[in-house]
Amino acid sequence: MTRFVYDFVEGHKDLKDLLGGKGANLAEMTRMGLPVPPGFTVTTDACREYLHTGSAPAGMLAEVEHHLRMMQNQIGKTFGDSDDPLLLSVRSGAKFSMPGMMETILDIGLNDTTVAGLARRTSDERFAWDSYRRLIQMFGRTVFDVPADEFETELAHARHAAGAGTDSQLTAGQLQDLVHSYKKVFHAHTGRDFPQSVHEQLFLAIVAVFRSWNAERARVYRRKERIPQELGTAVNVMAMVFGNRGQNSGTGVAFTRDPATGRRGAYGDYLRNAQGEDVVAGIRNTVGLAELATIDPPSYRQLLSIMQRLEQRYRDLCDIEFTIENGKLWMLQTRVGKRTPAAAFVIAAQLVDEGTITLDEALQRVSGEQLAQLMFPSFDEAAAHEPLTTGVPASPGASVGAIVFDSAQAVVATGPVILVRRETNPDDLPGMIAAQGILTSRGGKTSHAAVVARGMGKTCVCGADELRIGDGEVTVNGHTLHAGDIISIDGTNGRVYAGAVPVRPSKVVRYFEGEVTAHGDPLLAAVERLMIHADHVATLDVHANADTAADAARARRFGAGGVGLCRTEHMFLGDRRVLVERLILAEDDDGRDQALAALLPLQRADFEQLFAAMDGLPVTVRLIDPPLHEFLPPLEELTARVARAEALGEDPGHDGALLTAVRRMHEANPMLGLRGVRLGLVIPGLFAMQVRAIAEAAAARAAAGGDPQPEIMVPLVGAVQELETVRAEAEGVLASVPGAPPIRIGTMIEVPRAALIAGQIAGAAEFFSFGTNDLTQMTWGFSRDDVEGAFFGRYLDLGIFGVSPFETIDAEGVGELVRIAVTRGRAARPDLTIGVCGEHGGDPASVRFFHDAGLDYVSCSPFRVPIARLEAGRAPVTASSSDSR
Ligand code: PEP
Ligand code: MG
């Protein structure tokens, strides 16, 4: 027969599924012989049955009564006894800690009769009535949803009538009156009297915890955190101990190490003569834990020794809640404690040094997200004021600068600037390089601004759609800012502030850059040690998305094993744009050949530098991908220029020809139009010129004694015939360049069809690289430039997904295409190399997915290389079922 109630002496810490986190840990402490008040846990099984059937399981109540009797025997007090009543606390406790659920009801067991018994026994009438009014308040609020402020209003009245400054100045008589008013509030809202049966109180409280599992805010929280909705919560019933029994009593929270820095030594807060909720509510000032050594030396010593034992048992930092009642210490809760990212690294390394955990385990105690946090400069939160607005946090960091509205201004600016645009395009690149940060009112995490900014490690907030960007000014929520005004943008949370918020630089980045050593710094030493181990155990390589030699050099310093994606389109910008225009406007083969011939040496020089920066390591160069009209002026601008010229009776000249070309090339859906391999097949000589530039650059590097290892990657392939055609042409070109090393030819997999026919495609490809930006866009039918700013906020609120599929790979949908392509590709060509170069390559959860999917490498922006390295190391030592929530 299923049991629904377990005494604390029966459980242990590994029973979280059944007893919830809190219950399992209370049981563990009880087993360890620590001073835990007696109690029992009603299981998650009982909760699930209640949620399923709408009533508590048969037999549950009898089990509760049975365990209650055992408690009574142990303690020597009886629940509901009019002379010496046992009082209980009821606390929810799911497997994963879940704000948004009912938490705690204290003092269950008080009624009009037992309150007098408690007063007599404790010789403290004030304490008894104060406990009773707290019960009605908490019970009313959490079991019957009586609005909290109704009680607060009565309390304020009572204080006012008594001329009392604080609650603690209310006398027993005044608290007794307050109980009377609280009961009226209770009746007015529930239509019934506050239950005088203590057993009914207990039953209603347990069932209310069950019900709170399905409260709307709890459901939304779980959807977001991907916590299964069917888990249910356990309920912990425990004998009350009182921290508010005088100066000899108190309550506190403590950590076995400093959760902010990881430093060894107990940290915490203590509040004399108080209950737990007083500490949380911050009603009175707490003192540091160390002061307990003077207030109550024996309890302090006992607490320290318990904390040491808990650390040994959990092999990790623990946090605890405790109460001292008349000089007797009680443990009310423990769990593996939350900590800052810096503390996570420091503590993991300390525990290895102390011989408590292995290096493999240490890797499980930190995460790529935490390392990412450590790599961004950050705002001093304490000094920040109200944000003006919040956009999509697209590229983390904290930047301050003067507003500029166009790239040219950014380039000529003398001080730090923030480039503020509706959106950016390849033309803005020089301005983006010059700016400290980028703020846009449109576009999401894979918009041009976001991708480029992340690549450069530059702060970016995009899709801040409350911004109204006008001519030389931007208005937002009633404020108007002009060019030159200072703003601060936080790419970690999307906040935008007026004025300068103080910034702190990241020492971890300085360490990766080689500007400082780890010596003597506990955090850097911990990072270094864990990175070395991650590289040692990783089976997934990490490459970088880098388009320039400078990016490639940084990626190398950050530990990249090659360039996984060089986007060649930036090589068509700036001064070279005129050559692209000539290419597009060419009326015959000659004109086109001349334009291509002019581009060739420029491309060759770019590649030479890139191969030099990555000497000895693979560099995957992707042939041009975006539609060519992206390199021409916008249609609106040209139309206006031509119309103006015509109105003035002037010849629009070159603009007229450009306008004709732009109109001819206009596409309703350019993302699904003439781009990638399609472009290479339609514009004769374009891909061939790029292939020649790659081969000649490699030959030149080899002749100079270098070790260039280029690869050629064809974008947007959907049919093997496309790839075969490009391949045939490329092989012809490669064969014609003397001195070039062998150059592999492969393809991106970014069109769903390519994933499905990966077996065929592998016949013409030596490697695959998943372009998961496009693959996500095309699998979901989400325009990557629009949806995140437009409606993803709503989708996230609704819990339709917990995280944008452009950020973390959608393992079920897009991920299935990845798995299919890996299987079919390798079946056709067992030595196929497979990587990924979409934004997901630098996302921790996605890196673990790609490890599990059997990829050879991930490629990500240089700044994310350390994060991907860490995650690549964590993947093999972290069981995929393990859960760090
Ligand atoms: C991709 O689609 O994932 C990719 C890497 O290519 P791009 O972002 O340049 O389209
Ligand atoms: Mg793509």
Side-chain angles (χ1 to χ4, degrees), residues 125 196 199 227 255-256 273 424 516 527 583 673 694 722 736 746 760 762 811:
E125 211 165 326
Q196 292 295 308
H199 292 271
I227 296 174
F255 293 86
T256 53
N273 192 17
T424 61
V516 292
V527 168
L583 175 69
I694 294 166
E722 291 172 316
S736 73
Q760 286 179 38

Side-chain angles (χ1 to χ4, degrees), residues 15-83:
L15 285 181
K16 291 195 175 62
D17 285 330
L18 184 67
L19 304 178
K22 194 178 305 227
N25 290 331
L26 282 166
E28 186 74 20
M29 288 200 291
T30 305
R31 279 166 83 87
M32 290 168 68
L34 303 185
V36 177
F40 55 84
T41 303
V42 185
T43 64
T44 54
D45 283 342
C47 176
R48 280 192 293 273
E49 187 157 336
Y50 175 86
L51 295 173
H52 192 61
T53 63
S55 49
M60 182 195 92
L61 208 55
E63 278 190 62
V64 167
E65 293 295 338
H66 168 72
H67 283 269
L68 191 55
R69 279 193 296 280
M70 298 205 321
M71 261 174 91
Q72 293 177 153
N73 291 340
Q74 195 182 343
I75 298 171
K77 289 185 185 193
T78 304
F79 191 49
D81 186 57
S82 57
D83 187 35

